[in-house]
Amino acid sequence: MKKFLLSLLIAFSFQLSFAQNTNEKLSITFKDETLTNALKRIEEATAYKFYFDPTWVNAEKGLISGTYTDAKIDDVLNKVLSKTDLNYIILKNKVIFTLNSTIHDTLPANYFTDAPVETNQNKNTDSENPVFHQQYDSLSDYTVNKKSAIVFIGKENKEATKKSFTVSGTVRNEETGKAEPNIYIKVRNKNINTSTDPDGNYTLQLPRGINIIEIKSLSHKEVVRTLMVYDDGAFDVNINEKSNQLDEVVIKKKGQKPTETTVSGLVSIDIEGIKNVPLILGERDILKVATTFPGIKTTGEGSAGFNVRGGKDDQNLILLDNAVLYNPRHFLGFFSAINPYTTKKADIYKGSIPADFGGRLSSVFDIATKNGNQEKFSGEGAIGPITSNLTLSVPIEKNKSSIIVGGRATYSDWILKALDNEDLKNSQAGFYDGIFKYNNAINANNNLEATAYYSHDRFSLSSDSIYKYSNRLASIKWDHTFNKKNKVAFIFTNSEYKFNIDYDSDDINSFDFGYKVNESQLQAKFTYQLNPKHTFSYGIASKLYNISPGYQHPTKPEATLVPTDIEKEKALESASIFI
């Protein structure tokens, strides 16, 4: 009902307005006058008041000439505005101008119903023209903003019956002004498209009303323009070249720490990077990579040790999660006893060794184990010609605690037995090692880590003696944060190294010979950050040594050898540090 009353009111207003202005006549002559002057003279010669945007009129550069005697104002305005983009409507004594579009004085067909408009009608009145409805239905689906302003092609004509128009233009490079060939142009949601010729020109046949034009090219930025097409016309487009941005290339290197650090002579091994180092018998070796750094050399061909800046092999301290690893080699020095799949970092101090590492003359290898994956179960492994390796990571509590387990073993005994040489067939050589680590982020201020490691080697090459040695270590570390400036780490470690020779011969003097070193250490390391540039470290440490220098026990009851045990020794080493 409201819609019906509003329609009657609008129709009545238009009819009343037009009825009051049908009989006025005008006589006037123009001679090479601008549009501004022509409209001003018409306004002064009649009782009409003109309303328009001055920028519309000033933009028209053509001159107007002509003589009109007793002419209706409609006839004069139609002639004066025929070569411009201006339309108008007369309401009482007011003439309201519009740019391109017209103000319609009748309602569309089927305004009061939802029935679709038949597209095969071809009448002249806007109220029954199907193009009229198509145009304004499109407007309801499009929002005009500053970035998508409508470009008008021609001006609207109430009596126009033509349904499509020709729009042509040139596509140019905005920076150089050069015409761009082979630029793809299409109308969105319509099966209308074309491309520019070698001179950058194009032509499109567009339906009346709104058309959204997309200008695309692989080497240029996409341009989208909205055209309101009322007549044939031109539309030129400027486009910009597109920079195809590639994904960034990140080059990482975990080498020497920044020069501003107070620790000199420190280098780090890139654990992930050693995947690209040529393998020895299919096995990654952290300590082999270490010998590629300046100042670190092997003690000799086939030797298990290494010298750092002239120091002896036994002057190097090797730490695995803060616990001492006495013998870092497997299989006569061919393999490292450190599992590369479970290692997170390896820092080498070749000089200026920090006091909290204790006393060593040559170097310190500080090796840390990875934490397990706290989100999902994962694993990694490898099969080589001599050894196989498997590492598994299991979350215990998601995003809080996990364990990581790694193990290696060799099947060299099987290889030796497959050889033709009888001496080698009777030989044996093998090793295995395993590591277990548990970590738990208890809360924001407390973190707990526990590591256990064991390795074992045995070999007997064309000999009646079997040589055996093993490493066993365990460490527990509790990190606690008091506040933003004060932190502490409590560390307990235990390490043991055993060496054994099992001599087995046909006579009665077979024996078992060996020795053992065991040490336990407790540390409390405090850190105080005075400011972003100054940090103090202090703490206490105490280490207990239990040494079994050696023993020799006969393995047969009838042996003439006297069992021998060298007296065990103990030592306590304590220290306080401030750095």
Side-chain angles (χ1 to χ4, degrees):
M1 186 65 180
K2 290 182 179 179
K3 192 174 183 181
F4 178 73
L5 293 176
L6 178 61
S7 304
L8 290 178
L9 179 60
I10 293 173
F12 178 75
S13 300
F14 274 119
Q15 292 172 2
L16 181 61
S17 298
F18 292 125
Q20 294 174 346
N21 295 280
T22 56
N23 298 321
E24 187 166 349
K25 303 291 184 179
L26 173 66
S27 296
I28 193 169
T29 299
F30 304 112
K31 185 177 181 181
D32 296 332
E33 296 191 33
T34 63
L35 179 59
T36 303
N37 290 337
L39 293 178
K40 184 178 180 181
R41 289 186 57 196
I42 297 173
E43 186 179 27
E44 292 174 348
T46 64
Y48 294 98
K49 185 68 175 178
F50 289 1
Y51 296 89
F52 55 83
D53 187 336
T55 58
W56 301 345
V57 179
N58 295 335
E60 299 293 341
K61 303 300 181 183
L63 298 179
I64 298 170
S65 298
T67 299
Y68 305 91
T69 303
D70 292 332
K72 293 182 180 180
I73 189 171
D74 278 339
D75 296 335
V76 177
L77 289 176
N78 288 337
K79 190 66 176 178
V80 169
L81 302 177
S82 61
K83 296 182 180 181
T84 71
D85 290 334
L86 296 177
N87 278 314
Y88 69 93
I89 189 170
I90 300 176
L91 299 175
K92 294 186 179 181
N93 61 338
K94 300 179 181 65
V95 180
I96 300 174
F97 292 83
T98 59
L99 185 64
N100 301 103
S101 301
T102 62
I103 299 176
H104 293 264
D105 55 2
T106 56
L107 296 173
N110 299 326
Y111 182 76
F112 298 104
T113 66
D114 294 329
V117 179
E118 294 295 333
T119 57
N120 59 358
Q121 297 181 19
N122 193 23
K123 298 185 179 180
N124 292 333
T125 60
D126 285 328
S127 59
E128 296 178 339
N129 188 349
V131 179
F132 175 88
H133 303 294
Q134 179 184 3
Q135 169 192 334
Y136 283 93
D137 288 343
S138 300
L139 276 170
S140 64
D141 298 329
Y142 186 79
T143 303
V144 179
N145 53 50
K146 292 182 179 180
K147 293 184 178 180
S148 60
I150 295 178
V151 178
F152 291 88
I153 305 296
K155 70 176 181 179
E156 187 177 10
N157 185 352
K158 291 183 179 181
E159 285 73 30
T161 58
K162 193 175 179 181
K163 296 182 180 180
S164 63
F165 302 94
T166 301
V167 177
S168 59
T170 304
V171 178
R172 298 183 181 277
N173 188 302
E174 187 170 12
E175 296 181 359
T176 64
K178 179 182 176 182
E180 294 287 355
N182 302 318
I183 303 298
Y184 181 66
I185 303 173
K186 66 164 292 189
V187 182
R188 183 179 295 176
N189 299 328
K190 297 177 183 177
N191 189 24
I192 302 174
N193 57 78
T194 187
S195 59
T196 57
D197 62 17
D199 296 324
N201 300 319
Y202 75 93
T203 300
L204 284 172
Q205 197 72 20
L206 300 179
R208 185 183 180 189
I210 283 185
N211 294 270
I212 301 177
I213 309 299
E214 298 177 355
I215 300 95
K216 298 181 178 181
S217 170
L218 292 176
S219 58
H220 295 81
K221 295 180 180 178
E222 181 178 353
V223 177
V224 178
R225 293 288 184 268
T226 302
L227 306 185
M228 177 67 82
V229 180
Y230 291 135
D231 203 346
D232 297 338
F235 176 62
D236 296 333
V237 185
N238 292 328
I239 59 176
N240 294 303
E241 292 184 1
K242 177 173 62 177
S243 298
N244 294 317
Q245 185 175 358
L246 302 176
D247 292 337
E248 69 274 11
V249 178
V250 180
I251 301 175
K252 295 182 179 180
K253 180 181 183 299
K254 294 183 179 179
Q256 191 167 352
K257 286 189 176 181
T259 55
E260 63 266 17
T261 180
T262 58
V263 180
S264 61
L266 171 63
V267 294
S268 297
I269 297 177
D270 182 3
I271 303 301
E272 292 297 322
I274 67 174
K275 294 179 180 180
N276 301 320
V277 176
L279 304 179
I280 301 174
L281 297 177
E283 183 74 17
R284 301 178 197 168
D285 195 327
I286 293 175
L287 299 183
K288 287 287 186 183
V289 174
T291 59
T292 63
F293 289 106
I296 305 177
K297 301 297 179 183
T298 59
T299 54
E301 197 68 34
S303 175
F306 48 87
N307 304 120
V308 179
R309 290 183 174 175
K312 293 183 178 181
D313 181 31
D314 59 358
Q315 294 174 342
N316 301 312
L317 174 64
I318 299 176
L319 298 175
L320 180 60
D321 285 351
N322 301 295
V324 177
L325 181 64
Y326 277 90
N327 193 335
R329 290 291 183 182
H330 281 312
F331 206 66
L332 305 176
F334 285 103
F335 300 101
S336 166
I338 301 166
N339 192 332
Y341 291 90
T342 60
T343 302
K344 178 174 66 176
K345 73 178 185 71
D347 295 334
I348 305 174
Y349 295 84
K350 298 187 294 181
S352 301
I353 300 173
D356 55 330
F357 287 122
R360 281 298 188 276
L361 294 178
S362 187
S363 69
V364 173
F365 284 66
D366 185 19
I367 302 169
T369 307
K370 294 178 182 178
N371 289 329
N373 191 325
Q374 296 180 348
E375 295 184 357
K376 60 181 180 180
F377 176 85
S378 60
E380 185 177 12
I383 298 176
I386 302 294
T387 64
S388 291
N389 194 328
L390 179 63
T391 300
L392 299 176
S393 181
V394 182
I396 304 299
E397 185 175 352
K398 190 172 183 180
N399 298 323
K400 187 174 182 180
S401 62
S402 65
I403 61 173
I404 185 170
V405 180
R408 291 189 299 171
T410 181
Y411 27 84
S412 51
D413 279 346
W414 176 80
I415 296 175
L416 289 173
K417 293 185 182 300
L419 299 177
D420 294 332
N421 189 296
E422 289 297 326
D423 290 334
L424 293 177
K425 280 186 176 182
N426 295 325
S427 300
Q428 54 179 301
F431 66 85
Y432 62 87
D433 62 57
I435 189 168
F436 170 91
K437 184 175 183 180
Y438 168 79
N439 71 286
N440 189 344
I442 301 172
N443 52 44
N445 296 325
N446 295 279
N447 186 76
L448 181 66
E449 294 181 358
T451 303
Y453 170 85
Y454 183 79
S455 70
H456 184 270
D457 280 72
R458 57 179 175 79
F459 60 91
S460 175
L461 300 178
S462 301
S463 172
D464 49 12
S465 299
I466 300 176
Y467 296 83
K468 304 175 184 178
Y469 62 87
S470 64
N471 293 280
R472 176 182 58 78
L473 63 85
S475 70
I476 299 176
K477 182 181 180 182
W478 173 32
D479 291 305
H480 176 69
T481 301
F482 295 102
N483 49 51
K484 292 183 178 180
K485 292 189 174 183
N486 291 281
K487 299 179 181 179
V488 65
F490 295 103
I491 304 170
F492 174 77
T493 63
N494 177 265
S495 299
E496 183 179 81
Y497 175 73
K498 290 182 179 181
F499 179 83
N500 176 267
I501 299 176
D502 187 2
Y503 176 74
D504 187 11
S505 65
D506 295 334
D507 59 29
I508 61 174
N509 290 322
S510 299
F511 62 86
D512 180 19
F513 168 83
Y515 61 85
K516 178 176 69 174
V517 178
N518 184 288
E519 67 171 59
S520 299
Q521 179 174 245
L522 181 62
Q523 293 176 292
K525 295 183 178 181
F526 295 85
T527 302
Y528 173 68
Q529 186 175 13
L530 181 63
N531 54 51
K533 293 185 178 180
H534 298 87
T535 301
F536 297 99
S537 297
Y538 58 97
I540 58 174
S542 185
K543 180 183 291 188
L544 176 64
Y545 295 93
N546 286 285
I547 302 174
S548 297
Y551 65 89
Q552 180 176 287
H553 297 158
T555 58
K556 295 182 179 181
E558 64 273 17
T560 59
L561 291 176
V562 177
T564 304
D565 287 278
I566 300 176
E567 186 178 355
K568 296 180 180 180
E569 299 178 0
K570 289 186 179 182
L572 182 65
E573 178 184 304
S574 300
S576 61
I577 59 171
F578 182 83
I579 305 174

